Amino acid sequence: MTGFGTADGRVGAARVTVEVRTVNHRFFSPSLKLPAPLARWESEVREALRQRVARGHVTLMARHERDAQEARGGLAIDEARFAGYVAQLRALAERHGIADTLDVATVLRLPDVITTDATPEPEGTAEELLAIVDRAGAALTAMREDEGRRLAVVLLERIAIVEAALARIAARAPERLTEQRDRLRTAVQELVENVKVDDQRLAQEIAILADRLDVNEELDRFRSHITAFRAALSDAGADQVGKRLGFLLQEMLREANTTGSKANDAAMLHDVVLVKEELERIREQVENVE
């Protein structure tokens, strides 16, 4: 699922901001963008993300900034070196007949004129960086969980549509069997006219027809899958929820196809088609959970 999280803090003397984004992916696929001072901890950051995000394409970007006041505080001008450069440049200008256009900015750009007189600040530790990554990951997880709850509501609404269609199929099934029995009896009587019909043989044929058209077993399994589907959605903290939902949807589609093959009835077939359409829509949305 998609998600975004950000956090900031200090790593040594620098302020570090971490942003983490995820989009749907079947596997854990990280992409890390760390500035040079933090790059040595890439493997630790990657593992921290793996602990947070089991699946998805994860992009982590970090910014590393030193405070301006701290950056200025350690600067100093080496006046002895500055004076030495000035003397040498003027001597060269006089010796070679070059106009003396020397200015302060030119001298300041020469090597080692500007130095630092401050003690270097500590560069920080992996633990400081990982603490920021963990807070960004927590924000990401919270967003993904919110999206998951909203998606679960949509899936439950769609599975309720499927359940209502199954209830109509279940109500229509015995009526359809009665109609088929009466139609078979009438057809036989019309064919044989005044010939006496073997009622026992006719009863056997009706029983065979009823068995061939019976969808109660498929409907029972379908209801069981729906119960398991709802249970999987409520188990938000479980691993591989998407795979479990995908498996259940596959089984429900199998039962829908079998029910459709037995339903030689317009009303039942209409609801079977509706069920399959809703299951396909649910499957597309479940892919965001995987």
Side-chain angles (χ1 to χ4, degrees):
M1 290 184 290
T2 58
F4 173 81
T6 183
D8 57 61
R10 302 196 72 82
V11 177
R15 176 164 295 278
V16 173
T17 301
V18 172
E19 293 183 359
V20 186
R21 305 170 185 268
T22 60
V23 294
N24 183 44
H25 195 277
R26 295 183 63 84
F27 307 100
F28 174 69
S29 175
S31 175
L32 308 183
K33 300 177 182 178
L34 298 176
L38 308 178
R40 62 187 183 278
W41 295 315
E42 180 175 335
S43 61
E44 290 90 335
V45 172
R46 187 185 304 272
E47 183 58 29
L49 286 178
R50 187 189 302 276
Q51 297 300 321
R52 275 280 182 186
V53 183
R55 307 166 65 115
H57 182 77
V58 188
T59 301
L60 181 144
M61 182 176 65
R63 293 192 299 274
H64 182 275
E65 301 173 351
R66 291 181 63 88
D67 291 342
Q69 183 176 359
E70 290 182 355
R72 291 193 301 269
L75 295 182
I77 296 176
D78 187 335
E79 294 192 25
R81 192 178 297 274
F82 184 95
Y85 278 131
V86 170
Q88 291 180 42
L89 289 172
R90 283 181 173 167
L92 286 171
E94 183 178 352
R95 184 180 309 133
H96 296 285
I98 301 174
D100 185 0
T101 58
L102 194 63
D103 58 42
V104 173
T106 300
V107 180
L108 289 177
R109 285 196 293 269
L110 294 173
D112 300 327
V113 175
I114 298 178
T115 62
T116 176
D117 59 2
T119 302
E121 294 288 345
E123 295 183 353
T125 63
E127 288 72 20
E128 291 174 320
L129 175 60
L130 294 179
I132 302 172
V133 171
D134 187 64
R135 292 198 301 275
L140 169 77
T141 300
M143 182 175 178
R144 284 162 61 95
E145 288 176 350
D146 287 342
E147 182 185 358
R149 283 189 287 269
R150 291 192 297 270
L151 180 59
V153 171
V154 174
L155 294 181
L156 289 173
E157 290 173 351
R158 291 202 176 280
I159 208 69
I161 295 174
V162 171
E163 203 166 30
L166 292 179
R168 292 193 295 271
I169 292 173
R172 173 61 183 161
E175 298 174 358
R176 185 271 309 255
L177 286 176
T178 300
E179 292 173 2
Q180 290 291 329
R181 181 197 62 194
D182 294 343
R183 186 177 296 115
L184 176 62
R185 189 185 298 275
T186 300
V188 170
Q189 290 174 346
E190 290 177 353
L191 286 173
V192 299
E193 294 183 355
N194 297 325
V195 178
K196 180 175 175 56
V197 177
D198 185 344
D199 290 336
Q200 184 176 358
R201 179 62 184 275
L202 181 59
Q204 289 176 348
E205 292 297 326
I206 291 173
I208 293 172
L209 176 65
D211 183 67
R212 189 169 66 247
L213 300 180
D214 184 24
V215 295
N216 285 325
E217 185 177 346
E218 286 76 15
L219 295 179
D220 286 342
R221 287 197 296 265
F222 215 128
R223 295 186 190 100
S224 175
H225 296 327
I226 289 177
T227 299
F229 188 91
R230 286 199 171 100
L233 278 179
S234 65
D235 194 7
D239 293 333
Q240 298 185 333
V241 171
K243 280 190 174 181
R244 290 166 57 188
L245 297 179
F247 169 76
L248 291 169
L249 286 169
Q250 179 181 338
E251 293 303 305
M252 283 189 270
L253 280 168
R254 190 194 312 277
E255 301 302 338
N257 287 328
T258 305
T259 301
S261 68
K262 292 183 175 183
N264 60 340
D265 177 80
M268 291 178 65
L269 285 172
H270 176 271
D271 279 318
V272 168
V273 171
L274 173 62
V275 166
K276 293 172 69 173
E277 289 176 347
E278 287 299 320
L279 290 177
E280 289 294 344
R281 293 190 183 100
I282 293 172
R283 184 161 63 177
E284 290 177 1
Q285 292 171 315
V286 163
E287 290 177 356
N288 293 323
V289 183
E290 294 186 353

